[in-house]
């Protein structure tokens, strides 16, 4: 009997081992070779990949070389600094080329008509890749930003009502109140003789305060704790994701992995306190709803699923999904808007004539914000992986190919925007008509950023209030050094000199 049981266990082990080995061989060797051959048959070539690491080391070397020094002047010609591999490979292989992010083949796509077709027509056939999801697993998990297919449709359906027009109108008062407090702190700092301020820190705290109040109804202090931890997690996950090309690397007890798991646990502990507090308030008050902000909508959906007949997701998994969604919107609702505001202040501080134009006619602020998003988009790239074969223009896109849209390079393309492409010129947005394929700071199509209206309204309110209270000029201590840590950031912040305007 024992020998039969032992034999059965051995067979199960061998079956599992063979299955795992076949999956590894397919994932790491057969599928990439198939994709490479398919694309080369269509005339799409690229740099030769190394075993397992692909072109990661080449990219890291080029980026490190070009970002090791600050820029000599405040120039907006930053593609060569932040995406030097794109310039090198597009010169060598043309507009379409393939490179390898570890074992993941990525095709660069800059043709605006094909980008528009991809983002509008194939939103269900292309989405986030396994490497992207694993790289952000402990950072923002499987929230809306990383979801695919039916999961994405379901999650989008839940969160979209939190960003409708009526909801946005209700948030405006909170945004004004929070901004007024920030402006007062700036005024107090100037009154105390502070000659220069790092505006990025103020914008980061302000957007943290706003998203905490409008979507999660939590305290400023707790929101700040979560944002700080997520910022550290962002940096660590970006560093750790470079090693995902090695089989099983995410399970190694490395320093990065230990720190990441520890920070993730702390973030989720804080989120559970916020969630439990909301649940307690609803249950003690015997209310029929957890509220109509983002957190309330997520909890109401959990209640609906729990009480429904077709409850197929466990309570534990649902709670993890809620926390992942909270992390996604805590981060996206804070980080990207804070960066948009910081870069816009830098641009206005170095272009005082546009400060005056906006003071005279605040409607021009929309053009200024769009120009800031063009020059310094929060996300420098927009990747999509094909989940099945499909036709894109004249190309056959094979299942498993990631399509890499270099947003920063497209926004700085002289062919698309003219010879003044690297100059700050908001007038280029005087006309409201521009192709979705050439200006994509919030992506486009069905998978566009669900919170873009929230972010734009927030940015307009904050900048309008700031520019009517202060004049500002760039400090001589400002060092222009854009870097990418998932998002495009000023390496040393943005130092400005403020002068209060007379009432």
């Amino acid at each position: 009997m024992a020998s039969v049981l032992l034999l059965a266990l051995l067979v199960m082990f061998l079956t599992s081992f063979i299955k795992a080995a076949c999956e590894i061989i397919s994932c790491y060797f057969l599928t990439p070779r198939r994709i490479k051959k398919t694309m080369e048959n269509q005339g799409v070539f690229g740099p030769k990949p190394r075993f397992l690491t692909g072109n990661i080391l080449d990219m890291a070397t080029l980026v490190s070389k070009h970002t090791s020094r600050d820029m000599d002047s405040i120039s907006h010609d930053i593609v060569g600094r932040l995406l030097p591999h794109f310039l090198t490979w597009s010169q060598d292989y043309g507009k379409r080329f393939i490179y390898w992010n570890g074992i993941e083949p990525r095709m660069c796509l800059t043709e605006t008509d094909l980008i528009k077709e991809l983002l509008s027509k194939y939103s269900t056939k292309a989405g986030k890749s396994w490497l992207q999801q694993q790289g952000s697993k402990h950072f923002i998990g499987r929230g809306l930003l990383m979801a695919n297919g039916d999961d994405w449709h379901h999650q989008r359906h839940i969160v979209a009502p939190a960003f409708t027009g009526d909801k946005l109108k209700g948030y405006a008062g909170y945004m004004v109140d929070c901004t007024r407090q920030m402006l007062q702190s700036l005024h107090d700092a100037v009154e105390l003789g502070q000659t220069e301020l790092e505006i990025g820190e103020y914008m980061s705290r302000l957007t943290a305060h706003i998203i905490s109040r409008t979507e999660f109804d939590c305290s400023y202090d707790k929101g700040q704790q979560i944002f700080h931890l997520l910022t550290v997690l962002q940096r660590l996950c970006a560093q750790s994701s470079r090693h995902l090309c090695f089989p099983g690397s995410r399970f190694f007890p490395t320093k990065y992995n230990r720190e990441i798991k520890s920070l993730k646990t702390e973030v989720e502990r804080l989120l559970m306190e916020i969630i439990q507090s909301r649940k307690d308030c609803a249950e003690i008050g015997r209310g029929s709803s957890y509220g109509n902000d983002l957190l309330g909508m997520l909890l109401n959906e959990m209640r609906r699923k729990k009480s429904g007949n077709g409850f197929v997701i466990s309570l534990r998994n649902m709670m993890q999904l809620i926390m992942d969604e909270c992390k996604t919107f805590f981060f996206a609702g804070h980080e990207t808007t804070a960066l948009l505001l910081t870069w816009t202040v830098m641009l206005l501080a170095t272009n005082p004539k546009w400060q005056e134009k906006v003071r005279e006619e605040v409607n021009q602020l929309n053009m200024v914000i769009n120009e800031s998003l063009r020059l310094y988009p929060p996300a420098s790239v927009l990747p999509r992986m094909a989940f099945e074969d499909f036709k894109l223009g004249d190309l056959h896109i094979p299942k498993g190919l990631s399509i890499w849209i270099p947003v920063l390079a497209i926004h700085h393309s002289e062919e698309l925007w003219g010879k003044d492409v690297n100059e700050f010129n908001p007038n280029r947005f005087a006309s409201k008509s521009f192709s979705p394929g050439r200006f994509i700071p919030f992506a486009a199509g069905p998978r566009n950023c669900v919170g873009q209206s929230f972010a734009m309204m927030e940015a307009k309110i904050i900048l309008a209030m700031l520019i009517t209270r202060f004049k500002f000029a760039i400090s001589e201590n400002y060092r222009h050094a854009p870097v990418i840590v998932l998002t495009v950031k000023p390496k040393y912040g943005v130092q400005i000199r403020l002068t209060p305007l007379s009432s």
Side-chain angles (χ1 to χ4, degrees):
M1 186 68 181
S3 61
V4 172
L5 182 60
L6 186 63
L7 181 62
L9 288 172
L10 181 62
V11 170
M12 288 174 62
F13 171 77
L14 287 173
T15 302
S16 299
F17 177 80
I18 291 169
K19 184 180 178 182
C22 289
E23 287 179 357
I24 289 173
I25 291 170
S26 175
C27 179
Y28 284 79
F29 301 101
L30 300 181
T31 298
R33 285 172 67 89
R34 171 183 60 82
I35 293 171
K36 184 174 184 287
K37 186 175 180 181
T38 299
M39 299 314 296
E40 286 180 349
N41 287 341
Q42 300 178 83
V44 182
F45 298 89
K48 185 177 179 180
R50 290 185 173 90
F51 178 65
L52 289 182
T53 60
N55 303 114
I56 287 178
L57 296 178
D58 302 323
M59 289 187 286
T61 300
L62 283 167
V63 171
S64 177
K65 176 184 175 182
H66 286 82
T67 57
S68 61
R69 295 175 56 191
D70 303 341
M71 297 183 74
D72 295 332
S73 61
I74 302 178
S75 166
H76 310 309
D77 185 5
I78 58 173
V79 177
R81 174 184 174 85
L82 301 182
L83 301 178
H85 44 290
F86 164 79
L87 289 186
T88 299
W89 294 334
S90 60
Q91 288 169 4
D92 291 343
Y93 303 103
K95 286 186 175 182
R96 301 170 180 173
F97 61 84
I98 271 202
Y99 78 102
W100 296 77
N101 187 49
I103 59 163
E104 181 183 283
R106 288 184 172 180
M107 181 186 74
C108 176
L109 185 67
T110 58
E111 294 151 276
T112 57
D113 54 339
L114 297 189
I115 291 171
K116 183 180 177 181
E117 182 182 354
L118 173 69
L119 297 179
S120 60
K121 188 176 178 181
Y122 296 113
S123 62
T124 58
K125 295 183 179 180
K128 304 299 180 178
S129 72
W130 178 86
L131 279 178
Q132 283 181 278
Q133 291 178 332
Q134 286 300 319
S136 63
K137 180 179 179 181
H138 297 299
F139 173 40
I140 53 175
R142 292 295 180 93
L144 181 64
L145 196 61
M146 287 295 151
N148 288 321
D150 291 340
D151 290 339
W152 175 82
H153 274 289
H154 178 66
Q155 289 166 234
R156 177 92 177 197
H157 176 75
I158 295 170
V159 305
F163 301 99
T164 58
D166 289 340
K167 284 285 190 302
L168 293 179
K169 290 177 185 176
Y171 298 151
Y174 288 113
M175 293 177 181
V176 170
D177 289 345
C178 294
T179 305
R180 191 177 287 121
Q181 292 174 38
M182 187 271 288
L183 293 176
Q184 187 59 52
S185 66
L186 287 174
H187 191 274
D188 292 345
V190 173
E191 287 288 295
L192 290 171
Q194 204 166 331
T195 55
E196 74 173 38
L197 300 156
E198 201 290 278
I199 198 65
E201 293 178 1
Y202 285 87
M203 294 304 182
S204 183
R205 288 196 294 269
L206 174 56
T207 56
H209 195 185
I210 288 171
I211 197 71
S212 297
R213 287 188 64 181
T214 57
E215 299 297 357
F216 300 98
D217 192 26
C218 70
S219 71
Y220 172 77
D221 291 337
K222 186 160 286 185
Q224 280 294 108
Q225 283 181 276
I226 292 171
F227 294 126
H228 171 70
L229 293 171
L230 283 176
T231 301
V232 179
L233 258 178
Q234 177 195 28
R235 176 175 52 80
L236 290 174
C237 287
Q239 292 169 327
S240 179
S241 63
R242 298 171 189 168
H243 308 293
L244 283 171
C245 51
F246 298 103
S249 62
R250 65 190 188 279
F251 303 116
F252 296 164
T254 62
K255 179 185 176 184
Y256 283 140
N257 288 345
R258 289 196 303 271
E259 286 187 59
I260 286 169
K261 288 181 180 178
S262 174
L263 286 167
K264 180 196 174 197
T265 300
E266 181 61 14
V267 168
E268 294 188 349
R269 183 189 68 78
L270 292 169
L271 288 173
M272 274 306 301
E273 288 180 3
I274 296 171
I275 292 168
Q276 192 59 50
S277 174
R278 180 71 65 90
K279 290 175 70 179
D280 289 345
C281 287
E283 288 162 11
I284 291 170
R286 299 182 182 276
S288 59
S289 171
Y290 290 111
N292 60 1
D293 60 2
L294 179 61
L295 178 57
M297 289 175 181
L298 293 169
L299 289 171
N300 286 324
E301 176 67 8
M302 184 180 75
R303 174 187 278 177
R304 187 186 69 79
K305 280 186 170 291
K306 190 175 179 181
S307 60
N309 295 326
F311 188 59
V312 293
I313 185 170
S314 70
L315 183 62
R316 181 180 177 183
N317 287 343
M318 188 66 192
M319 191 57 71
Q320 184 61 55
L321 182 59
I322 288 174
M323 286 194 289
D324 287 349
E325 216 66 89
C326 288
K327 284 184 281 187
T328 296
F329 283 93
F330 258 119
F331 171 74
H334 153 251
E335 167 90 348
T336 54
T337 311
L339 286 172
L340 165 59
L341 289 162
T342 302
W343 285 121
T344 305
V345 169
M346 184 277 288
L347 290 166
L348 288 171
T350 51
N351 292 272
K353 287 183 179 179
W354 271 99
Q355 280 189 52
E356 293 303 323
K357 285 183 180 181
V358 173
R359 285 190 190 100
E360 291 169 7
E361 190 177 346
V362 77
N363 289 336
Q364 297 198 61
L365 196 51
N366 198 62
M367 300 191 316
V368 169
I369 291 172
N370 280 338
E371 181 69 342
S372 177
L373 286 167
R374 184 187 72 82
L375 290 170
Y376 296 92
S380 61
V381 298
L382 181 62
R384 292 285 188 267
M385 173 174 270
F387 301 140
E388 57 183 84
D389 292 2
F390 59 82
K391 190 79 172 174
L392 184 65
D394 61 330
L395 284 171
H396 170 72
I397 304 298
K399 177 182 178 181
L401 174 67
S402 269
I403 299 173
W404 181 61
I405 302 171
V407 176
L408 184 70
I410 291 166
H411 283 191
H412 287 254
S413 167
E414 184 176 321
E415 182 182 342
L416 296 174
W417 297 95
K419 291 188 176 181
D420 68 341
V421 64
N422 292 314
E423 296 175 19
F424 177 68
N425 178 18
N427 281 324
R428 72 178 83 245
F429 286 97
S431 170
K432 291 184 178 180
S433 59
F434 46 84
S435 167
R438 67 187 265 226
F439 183 60
I440 43 177
F442 298 107
R447 281 200 72 135
N448 67 346
C449 174
V450 70
Q452 69 181 72
S453 296
F454 180 99
M456 289 296 285
M457 184 178 82
E458 181 181 14
K460 288 175 190 175
I461 287 173
I462 293 168
L463 290 168
M465 292 179 69
L466 175 69
I467 209 161
T468 54
R469 286 281 298 273
F470 295 97
K471 284 184 179 179
F472 41 93
I474 203 74
S475 167
E476 59 271 18
N477 295 317
Y478 171 65
R479 296 156 67 185
H480 194 54
V483 292
I484 295 177
V485 185
L486 295 184
T487 49
V488 180
K489 300 181 176 182
K491 186 175 181 179
Y492 310 107
V494 173
Q495 295 74 31
I496 61 170
R497 295 183 177 276
L498 287 173
T499 303
L501 292 168
S502 61
S503 57

